[in-house]
Amino acid sequence: MAKDRRPAYRKPPAEDGSRLLSGVLEEDLVEVRRQLSNSDDLLIHRHQAGKVEVAVVMFDGLVSNTQVSDFLLRPITRVPPQADTGRKVYDYLSGGGVIMAGEQKEVRTFGELMTITMSGFAVVLVEGVPAGIALGYQGFKTRGVDEPSGERNLRGSREGFTESINANMGMVRRRMRTPLLTIEGATAGRVSNTAVKIFYLRDVASPRLVQEVKERIGKVEISVVLDSGYLQPFLDGKRLSLFSGVGVTERPDTLCAKLGEGRVAVMVEGTPFALILPYLFIEHFQSLDDYIHRPYFASFIRLLKLLSFFLTILLPGYYVAVVSFHPELIPQALLAQFVGSALDTPLPPVLEALVVFFLYELLREAGLRIPSPIGHAMGIVGGIVIGDAAVSAGIIGLPMVIIIALTAVSSFVVPSLYEPVTVLRFGFIVVGGLLGLYGVYLSFALLVVNLCSVKAMGVPVTSPISPADGYGFRDMFIRSGWKLLQKQDLMVERLPGSDEKGR
């Protein structure tokens, strides 16, 4: 006899958001309560406007009670007697400046009513009218504008994006005072219906690029979208690489600069990070300070960042390879110290490096997740105590500690590349311990080939280095002065190798 099997879980069907309001107030309110399961934060205020019944639908915690009381409920109770039908009351409230609100829209379906009330609007429903008046009385608390923690500059603006997408749009619009700036709305997440905004400059950004971004966002089938990182894999496309063609910024001035180059930006409600498409690899080594400081100093900083990138991914693997297979490459003055340290420690160099870097990542992650007053102390004390004890016990050699410290500092010089750098560091350590310097050189060549094969929205991420663009070299590792940069604007769709240019 076969066992009875429990039926597989089936997701309940979603509510029909296209269903129209009936105009019968009681029926519409019953349907609203049914779809929301009479949620505790649902507020429905019913009032008599003359001879017509009116209801206000909103959510507690999303609207300002003071504004609703002063600017909405009071005018409703003062409807003149001649407005004796639902249509007259509706026209009276929706026109003539009777109700004061920064935003006013009309809703005709239950889907629109649900979405807009959950965005901090109050919706007025009138008996006999199959439509509602949505009024913006947002009163939820948001974090104030502050300096971005991950993109600090010495000069320039101290403003960073916040979790409020409306405030972020205002910061961008204030800096780009042009009618070419276009902001289009979309939603992502079948359940969350998270607001998404797409920024671009009309007649500057490629229409093909804009359309591609819209289509990819429209194909996202995730149930809940809580951050821009949920959308990044869909905008990145299908490829096998550690590097991304989608950039991230929390600075409005950086976003505006990218928009001026024909990029498209995507911003998600509830996160202070905006996505930039396409994003070139060389831009990881650039910052807004580069265009404020003198060209010679900006060029020096960019070369320093590039050196730090190569140092943090290659130095541990190179050290392991040299100590294990090529001790003749060590200078005579350091030979005894390096080789002696490798012989005195019980672990082979490759295993020693892996263990040490694993402990470093463990301490970094622990210090990052626990409360900040404890985190800083734990990171410093833990590193000093564990490092000193390990060296004193002869478990870890002193040269390895120096390599770790230098590599760790270098990895934070380019914070946007920390994720791929961490993985590559471990990879080069393993390759260096198994194949020596030949393996390190071959792996680095494969890494370069892989990077050159990556395209972001049809634009090679290694451009204008590969394919090379002579004029593009004016703003790469060496930055030219503004007198030269102003002669021609950089447009991503015009870079060599881009699909747009080849059409």
Side-chain angles (χ1 to χ4, degrees):
M1 183 177 177
K3 286 186 176 181
D4 293 335
R5 294 186 177 180
R6 298 177 60 186
Y9 171 76
R10 293 184 180 180
K11 186 177 178 180
E15 298 292 348
D16 184 11
S18 61
R19 180 178 173 182
L20 297 173
L21 296 169
S22 66
V24 180
L25 187 60
E26 192 63 37
E27 293 183 3
D28 291 340
L29 294 181
V30 169
E31 179 63 18
V32 169
R33 290 193 180 96
R34 187 192 68 81
Q35 291 195 17
L36 294 170
S37 300
N38 204 19
S39 180
D40 190 57
D41 60 341
L42 174 64
L43 299 178
I44 298 179
H45 291 191
R46 305 181 71 162
H47 300 271
Q48 197 72 24
K51 299 179 181 180
V52 181
E53 190 175 8
V54 176
V56 179
V57 182
M58 53 191 171
F59 280 93
D60 189 17
L62 296 182
V63 296
S64 170
N65 295 329
T66 303
Q67 294 185 37
V68 171
S69 177
D70 294 342
F71 303 138
L72 177 58
L73 300 183
R74 187 172 298 174
I76 288 178
T77 60
R78 297 178 179 178
V79 174
Q82 56 267 28
D84 54 357
T85 65
R87 175 52 62 179
K88 290 181 180 180
V89 172
Y90 185 89
D91 294 339
Y92 174 80
L93 294 176
S94 61
V98 177
I99 299 177
M100 290 183 291
E103 298 177 84
Q104 183 171 330
K105 303 177 183 179
E106 185 178 70
V107 297
R108 291 188 173 274
T109 66
F110 284 99
E112 293 174 347
L113 187 147
M114 295 298 172
T115 302
I116 205 163
T117 51
M118 294 177 188
S119 301
F121 282 70
V123 177
V124 180
L125 300 178
V126 181
E127 177 68 46
V129 181
I133 309 171
L135 305 159
Y137 295 125
Q138 293 89 341
F140 48 85
K141 299 297 182 181
T142 59
R143 182 173 60 91
V145 177
D146 199 0
E147 183 176 5
S149 58
E151 297 179 73
R152 294 182 180 274
N153 282 350
L154 296 179
R155 295 173 59 182
S157 171
R158 293 293 187 269
E159 286 186 341
F161 289 131
T162 68
E163 287 73 16
S164 172
I165 200 169
N166 291 331
N168 296 340
M169 288 191 296
M171 284 187 278
V172 175
R173 178 66 71 178
R174 195 173 71 249
R175 287 170 171 79
M176 300 292 287
R177 302 176 184 179
T178 169
L180 296 179
L181 176 60
T182 304
I183 304 176
E184 296 188 14
T187 57
R190 297 193 311 270
V191 176
S192 63
N193 290 316
T194 307
V196 178
K197 301 296 181 181
I198 303 173
F199 297 73
Y200 63 92
L201 290 182
R202 191 177 64 256
D203 299 334
V204 176
S206 166
R208 181 198 61 82
L209 174 61
V210 176
Q211 185 63 29
E212 181 71 16
V213 172
K214 294 179 184 177
E215 291 178 356
R216 294 193 181 186
I217 293 178
K219 294 178 180 178
V220 176
E221 295 294 333
I222 302 179
S223 298
V224 178
V225 174
L226 301 177
D227 191 86
S228 56
Y230 286 54
L231 302 180
Q232 186 169 350
F234 298 93
L235 298 173
D236 239 346
K238 296 181 179 180
R239 55 181 180 76
L240 183 61
S241 177
L242 294 176
F243 299 98
S244 174
V246 180
V248 180
T249 183
E250 51 182 331
R251 297 187 62 92
D253 43 16
T254 299
L255 186 142
C256 292
K258 302 305 179 185
L259 293 180
E261 297 176 350
R263 320 294 179 97
V264 177
V266 177
M267 197 172 296
V268 178
E269 176 70 45
T271 174
F273 294 92
L275 304 179
I276 300 175
L277 301 99
Y279 200 77
L280 306 180
F281 179 73
I282 187 62
E283 293 177 298
H284 290 288
F285 306 95
Q286 301 173 354
S287 66
L288 188 66
D289 269 342
D290 296 348
Y291 302 95
I292 299 175
H293 293 305
R294 300 287 294 274
Y296 66 87
F297 185 74
S299 302
F300 169 74
I301 295 299
R302 288 184 180 181
L303 293 175
L304 182 65
K305 292 179 179 179
L306 185 66
L307 176 63
S308 300
F309 171 74
F310 289 121
L311 196 67
T312 189
I313 65 172
L314 294 176
L315 182 60
Y318 189 88
Y319 170 78
V320 170
V322 168
V323 172
S324 301
F325 297 96
H326 313 279
E328 67 277 3
L329 297 178
I330 302 176
Q332 189 69 28
L334 300 175
L335 182 61
Q337 180 68 29
F338 277 55
V339 177
S341 175
L343 295 176
D344 292 339
T345 54
L347 301 176
V350 59
L351 188 57
E352 178 186 3
L354 290 176
V355 170
V356 170
F357 276 105
F358 175 77
L359 291 176
Y360 162 73
E361 291 295 332
L362 190 66
L363 288 172
R364 186 196 67 84
E365 190 68 17
L368 183 65
R369 301 303 172 189
I370 63 177
S372 55
I374 308 175
H376 296 301
M378 196 209 69
I380 297 173
V381 174
I384 294 176
V385 171
I386 295 176
D388 182 69
V391 172
S392 301
I395 301 175
I396 300 174
L398 186 59
M400 182 60 70
V401 175
I402 299 175
I403 295 295
I404 295 168
L406 185 58
T407 305
V409 172
S410 301
S411 63
F412 290 109
V413 176
V414 189
S416 59
L417 288 175
Y418 188 83
E419 295 178 9
V421 156
T422 302
V423 177
L424 289 173
R425 183 192 304 147
F426 281 97
F428 277 107
I429 290 175
V430 174
V431 171
L434 296 178
L435 303 177
L437 287 180
Y438 301 105
V440 173
Y441 295 149
L442 179 59
S443 299
F444 182 74
L446 293 176
L447 177 65
V448 173
V449 171
N450 176 263
L451 182 61
C452 292
S453 67
V454 177
K455 279 192 172 185
M457 293 293 176
V459 179
V461 297
T462 53
S463 187
I465 304 174
S466 175
D469 179 21
Y471 192 73
F473 278 85
R474 77 196 194 285
D475 189 21
M476 283 202 319
F477 303 116
I478 304 297
R479 185 183 82 79
S480 303
W482 274 113
K483 292 183 179 180
L484 179 59
L485 293 178
Q486 71 175 351
K487 293 182 178 180
Q488 180 180 341
D489 293 331
L490 172 69
M491 298 298 172
V492 289
E493 62 265 22
R494 300 175 188 169
L495 290 174
S498 67
D499 295 344
E500 184 71 16
K501 187 174 182 179
R503 291 166 68 97

